[in-house]
Every structure is written in structure tokens, then in C-alpha cells.
């Protein structure tokens, strides 16, 4: 099994762990982003209101499709990212670290492939998360739908093409992981370089290279995601509304028109609805993911490689 495949498995597993730990915040930010009423609620008040209406499990509406989505998204992303990274490094001599431009190119390839493949899953998740939203003001009871029931509902109402609603802003948002992984790579390279220099200056071997800890990966992952999400959140709002099938959002002529319409109807603050819970969730998810992916990769590699070597030895004999 190649390192790219192991990175893919580790990324999927790490994503599932991170998503499960932070899902209520994803749910809250999605609901807030889709909501068009100018209603100000704290994260705490939003949680209390949902628990009163839908119970604690209401905070986990759409979790099943989210776990499937994050597994596919991270698995595909890490696979294409590592394959692209390996191809770039093999094509040249010298440093084994990606430059800023190379990091951005690698992220663009991986992000575009991931978005096209995983968009239907996020349309389903968003539809599940906001299904009860329209009935809240009337106090109606709306039946929650499972994954396959939601798929059938979307197809029956809007057809197959509805599974790719929001693909425009979703492709624009490929810049989010590009920013995230570029910032992460460059901060990681800087940290390793500076610590290696200190290590060698302190009397270490000339070939000694500093190794980053789990906490280093945690904070680098958190910081890189904070920068990426903070800069692209308005497009996340437009994407969420389109994927939810919001009547207002379906009138948007383009992503830019969506941004301008929101500013006109709801003010600039409309572009940042749910940003608080989204930033907390994104930062925690990214931090957990980077640590988890790294650990799972190492464990998987240590587990698989001895087995592969033994099988090769048997084949030779």
C-alpha cells in the first residue's frame, strides 16, 4: 500500500473523529448561515432553543451524512494532495519541502477533485440540518429524514442536478483548504527549520532534524484553519444556502450576486451569520484532524509494513 493510500485512510479516520467531536457547532453554524431573518442569538441560546424543540439529538441532525461526507472528503483530499505532492517533489531536485506556489497548486488539484466528488453528500447533510428550520416560527412538527429518505426527497422535488447545488461557491471555496494547507506547510517548514538550526547549534549532529510534537501539529492546524475560514466565510454562507435549497438563494445568479444580495437585504453582518460557532468548530476540527491524521498514519504504516514485508518474503521463497 502506497503512502498516499495510507494518508487517505488516516485522513478519513481523523476526519470522522474530529467531526463527531465538533458536530453540534457545525449544525449551529449551518442553521445560522441559512437563516435569512435578522435574529440575533448567542451560541448558548441557540443550543438551548434547539434542545427545547428537538431534544439533545436535534443537535446531531445530519451527523450520519456528515460522517460519510468527511470520510470521503478527507480521504479523497489527502490522496490527491499526497499524490500531487509526490509528483512535484519527484520532478525536481533539492529541498523536499513544498514552496508556497507548489503548496497552492497541490491544494488546488486536491480541492477541486474533492469538491466535485463530495458535493452531493454536503447537499444532503445541509438539507437534513435545516429541515426543521422553516417550521420553527409556526411551531409545526416536521419529521426528520434519514440519509436515503433525504436523497429521495431531493431527487423527487428537484431532480438529480440538485445534488450539485452550490457547486459554484463550493469550487470557489477550494481556496479555503489551499490557504489552510499552504499556511500549515509554510509554518511547519519554518518551525522545523528554526528548531533544526537551534538543535545543531547546541551541539547536535550535523544531519539532525527537529521533529514536531502532537501539540505542534495541533496548534499549527488550528492557526492555519483560523486564517482560512476567517477569510472565506461569506462564500460558506452562500454555499450553505444554495445547498439547503433556500428559495431566496436559488434566485442568486452567481456566487458574487449572492454576496451582493445578502449585503443589500441583510447588511454586511448577513455574510457572517454563524461565524462564531463555525470558527470554533473549524479550528477545533482542524487541530484534532492534523494530530489524528498524523498518529493514525504512523500506526497504520507500522501495522501494515511488517505484514507487507513478510508477504514479499514468502513470495520470494
Amino acid at each position: 500500500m502506497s503512502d498516499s493510500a495510507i494518508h487517505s485512510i488516516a485522513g478519513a479516520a481523523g476526519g470522522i473523529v474530529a467531526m463527531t467531536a465538533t458536530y453540534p457547532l457545525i449544525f449551529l453554524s449551518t442553521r445560522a448561515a441559512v437563516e435569512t431573518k435578522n435574529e440575533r442569538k448567542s451560541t448558548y441560546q441557540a443550543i438551548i432553543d434547539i434542545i427545547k424543540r428537538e431534544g439533545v439529538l436535534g443537535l446531531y441532525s445530519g451527523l450520519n451524512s456528515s460522517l460519510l461526507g468527511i470520510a470521503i472528503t478527507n480521504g479523497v483530499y489527502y490522496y490527491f494532495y499526497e499524490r500531487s505532492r509526490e509528483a512535484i517533489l519527484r520532478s525536481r531536485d533539492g529541498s523536499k519541502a513544498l514552496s508556497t506556489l507548489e503548496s497552492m497548486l497541490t491544494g488546488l488539484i486536491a480541492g477541486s477533485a474533492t469538491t466535485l466528488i463530495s458535493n452531493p453528500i454536503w447537499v444532503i447533510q445541509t438539507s437534513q440540518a435545516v429541515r426543521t428550520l422553516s417550521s420553527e416560527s409556526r411551531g409545526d412538527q416536521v419529521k426528520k429524514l434519514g440519509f436515503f429518505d433525504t436523497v429521495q426527497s431531493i431527487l423527487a422535488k428537484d431532480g438529480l442536478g440538485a445534488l450539485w447545488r452550490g457547486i459554484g461557491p463550493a469550487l470557489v471555496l477550494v481556496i479555503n483548504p489551499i490557504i489552510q494547507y499552504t499556511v500549515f506547510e509554510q509554518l511547519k517548514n519554518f518551525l522545523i527549520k528554526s528548531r533544526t538550526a537551534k538543535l545543531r547549534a547546541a551541539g547536535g549532529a550535523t544531519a539532525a532534524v527537529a521533529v514536531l510534537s502532537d501539540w505542534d501539529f495541533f496548534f499549527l492546524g488550528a492557526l492555519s484553519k483560523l486564517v482560512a475560514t476567517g477569510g472565506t466565510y461569506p462564500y460558506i454562507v452562500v454555499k450553505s444556502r444554495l445547498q439547503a435549497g433556500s428559495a431566496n438563494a436559488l434566485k442568486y445568479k452567481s456566487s458574487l450576486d449572492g454576496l451582493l444580495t445578502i449585503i443589500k437585504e441583510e447588511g454586511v453582518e448577513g455574510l457572517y451569520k454563524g461565524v462564531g460557532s463555525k470558527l470554533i468548530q473549524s479550528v477545533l476540527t482542524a487541530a484534532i484532524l492534523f494530530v489524528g491524521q498524523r498518529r493514525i498514519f504512523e500506526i497504520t504504516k507500522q501495522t501494515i509494513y511488517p505484514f507487507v514485508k513478510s508477504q514479499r518474503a514468502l513470495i520470494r521463497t
Side-chain angles (χ1 to χ4, degrees):
M1 185 180 288
S2 67
D3 278 4
S4 298
I6 299 175
H7 273 293
S8 177
I9 293 170
I16 288 172
V17 172
M19 176 69 76
T20 303
T22 63
Y23 187 76
L25 291 170
I26 297 173
F27 176 80
L28 289 171
S29 65
T30 300
R31 294 276 287 254
V34 171
E35 180 59 80
T36 57
K37 293 185 297 183
N38 288 317
E39 185 178 10
R40 296 178 183 274
K41 282 186 184 179
S42 66
T43 299
Y44 174 77
Q45 188 58 53
I47 291 173
I48 296 301
D49 287 350
I50 290 168
I51 291 176
K52 284 181 180 177
R53 285 192 307 269
E54 305 172 39
V56 174
L57 292 180
L59 294 170
Y60 291 87
S61 294
L63 176 62
N64 53 354
S65 51
S66 287
L67 293 180
L68 176 61
I70 200 67
I72 293 174
T73 298
N74 282 5
V76 172
Y77 191 92
Y78 272 101
Y79 181 79
F80 278 95
Y81 187 89
E82 292 300 326
R83 293 288 288 185
S84 301
R85 183 175 181 275
E86 290 170 6
I88 289 173
L89 293 178
R90 281 199 303 267
S91 69
R92 61 169 171 77
D93 298 321
S95 173
K96 292 303 178 182
L98 294 178
S99 67
T100 301
L101 185 59
E102 288 169 339
S103 292
M104 294 177 70
L105 176 60
T106 303
L108 177 63
I109 294 170
S112 299
T114 303
T115 298
L116 291 170
I117 292 170
S118 67
N119 196 76
I121 303 294
W122 298 118
V123 169
I124 295 164
Q125 183 272 330
T126 305
S127 297
Q128 287 181 303
V130 304
R131 179 168 170 75
T132 61
L133 191 59
S134 60
S135 64
E136 288 179 2
S137 59
R138 301 191 305 269
D140 297 341
Q141 291 293 321
V142 176
K143 180 184 176 182
K144 294 178 183 177
L145 299 180
F147 181 85
F148 291 107
D149 289 334
T150 303
V151 174
Q152 290 178 346
S153 175
I154 292 171
L155 293 178
K157 183 181 178 182
D158 300 311
L160 185 63
L163 294 175
W164 275 270
R165 286 189 303 226
I167 192 65
L171 285 171
V172 172
L173 283 168
V174 167
I175 196 174
N176 186 297
I178 290 176
I179 295 171
Q180 178 188 355
Y181 282 87
T182 299
V183 171
F184 178 83
E185 282 285 339
Q186 300 314 308
L187 288 175
K188 184 183 74 172
N189 293 342
F190 172 79
L191 203 55
I192 291 174
K193 185 177 180 180
S194 62
R195 288 187 182 175
T196 297
K198 290 180 181 178
L199 183 65
R200 293 176 181 177
T206 55
V209 177
V211 177
L212 300 184
S213 68
D214 286 347
W215 280 112
D216 290 325
F217 277 86
F218 184 91
F219 286 115
L220 289 178
L223 181 58
S224 61
K225 192 62 176 180
L226 180 63
V227 173
T229 300
T232 60
Y233 191 77
Y235 273 98
I236 294 176
V237 171
V238 175
K239 177 178 73 74
S240 295
R241 293 186 180 188
L242 287 168
Q243 289 182 336
S246 169
N248 290 336
L250 293 177
K251 297 177 183 177
Y252 300 161
K253 297 175 183 178
S254 64
S255 299
L256 179 59
D257 180 61
L259 296 176
L260 295 175
T261 301
I262 291 171
I263 292 173
K264 180 181 178 181
E265 296 179 354
E266 304 168 46
V268 175
E269 61 269 22
L271 297 175
Y272 291 91
K273 285 185 175 178
V275 68
S277 52
K278 182 62 178 178
L279 282 175
I280 296 170
Q281 176 270 322
S282 295
V283 168
L284 286 176
T285 298
I288 295 169
L289 171 61
F290 276 104
V291 174
Q293 195 273 343
R294 174 174 175 256
R295 278 294 175 198
I296 294 169
F297 172 78
E298 291 173 352
I299 292 169
T300 304
K301 194 169 182 178
Q302 290 169 3
T303 303
I304 291 176
Y305 275 23
F307 174 76
V308 172
K309 285 182 180 180
S310 64
Q311 291 299 307
R312 288 176 178 172
L314 287 173
I315 292 171
R316 291 194 190 100
T317 57

